Amino acid sequence: MNMRKATADDAPEIVNIMDYYMKNTAVHFSYKAPEIDDFRQEMIYITEKFPFFVLEDKSSIKGFAYAKPFSDVPAYDWSCELTIYIKEDFKRKGLGRKLYLAVEDAVKMMGIKNMYSYIAYTEREDEHLDNSSMRFHEKMGFERVARFSKCGYKFDTWYDVIWMEKIIAEHEDHPNRIMSYRDLDEMAAR
């Protein structure tokens, strides 16, 4: 498997991975994946400041992960939200861990202190949602910090959402401004 920075040209394959989850699971509460052109624009926005990686073999992308702003309010600049998806047939092969660690290392270099993940959760696992995402994040060092009860309705079932948090750096009294991942990448290339 080859890990690399995602480009806007990867949008069709990434949307295809998302589409499976949105049509067949409650992992995401949307009923269908975004339009490719819309997601391509989202990728351009994300990669202006944050890392976005894909894992691929010779034939196609098998997973992706990225960080994005936790909020557009400047006081939240030292926090980010993590998104990670693995192609259904390639889950539980260590791909998520590789992607996650790459994103964590990148945002840590940027100066990010807190990572968050917004995860669908259920008390009773079913064919549309198990709690494997929560368990994965726990293994990666995240802790559950909030739960919203029955806030999503999909497949005739009410599902919860949890927020998970991982502190990845010290919180100084006067932190430096974060750097964009793009700037860090350009500095490394010099």
Side-chain angles (χ1 to χ4, degrees):
M1 289 283 170
N2 174 49
M3 185 177 319
R4 64 173 172 78
K5 289 177 266 180
T7 70
D9 292 337
D10 296 321
E13 283 190 83
I14 290 170
V15 167
N16 185 52
I17 292 170
M18 293 167 63
D19 191 54
Y20 168 83
Y21 287 97
M22 293 179 184
K23 286 181 178 172
N24 300 293
T25 77
V27 167
H28 196 287
F29 291 158
S30 292
Y31 291 95
K32 65 178 190 147
E35 296 295 323
I36 291 170
D37 287 339
D38 293 341
F39 194 73
R40 187 177 280 124
Q41 290 305 310
E42 177 75 6
M43 290 179 72
I44 291 167
Y45 167 75
I46 290 166
T47 57
E48 283 292 316
K49 192 170 189 178
F50 287 92
F52 195 133
F53 298 113
V54 296
L55 262 176
E56 62 186 356
D57 64 11
K58 293 177 183 171
S59 64
S60 64
I61 292 172
K62 304 304 184 200
F64 64 93
Y66 61 88
K68 66 181 183 180
F70 180 69
S71 169
D72 291 332
V73 176
Y76 293 109
D77 282 353
W78 295 269
S79 297
C80 70
E81 183 181 341
L82 174 69
T83 297
I84 187 165
Y85 282 89
I86 304 299
K87 202 169 193 176
E88 178 61 21
D89 320 5
F90 289 84
K91 289 168 59 176
R92 294 175 182 73
K93 297 181 186 299
L95 305 182
R97 181 176 185 77
K98 288 179 186 175
L99 284 163
Y100 165 82
L101 291 172
V103 172
E104 181 179 338
D105 288 346
V107 298
K108 199 175 211 179
M109 288 188 306
M110 292 170 57
I112 298 290
K113 312 294 184 189
N114 298 15
M115 291 179 64
Y116 294 94
S117 197
Y118 180 74
I119 300 168
Y121 174 80
T122 183
E123 286 289 329
R124 287 176 291 174
E125 295 183 7
D126 61 30
E127 70 272 19
H128 300 294
L129 183 65
D130 61 25
N131 291 320
S132 58
S133 183
M134 178 194 70
R135 289 188 291 272
F136 167 78
H137 283 81
E138 287 174 338
K139 286 180 187 173
M140 299 309 298
F142 281 76
E143 294 181 14
R144 192 162 90 172
V145 293
R147 178 176 169 183
F148 302 93
S149 298
K150 295 179 173 66
C151 62
Y153 187 76
K154 190 173 181 181
F155 303 117
D156 298 322
T157 304
W158 287 104
Y159 294 105
D160 298 350
V161 166
I162 58 173
W163 273 102
M164 296 188 79
E165 172 185 65
K166 182 175 182 183
I167 307 299
I168 60 171
E170 300 237 358
H171 292 80
E172 308 92 356
D173 288 340
H174 302 286
N176 292 327
R177 301 297 303 159
I178 65 164
M179 292 187 69
S180 76
Y181 181 70
R182 178 176 279 178
D183 289 346
L184 283 171
D185 202 36
E186 288 173 2
M187 286 172 48
R190 288 184 204 152

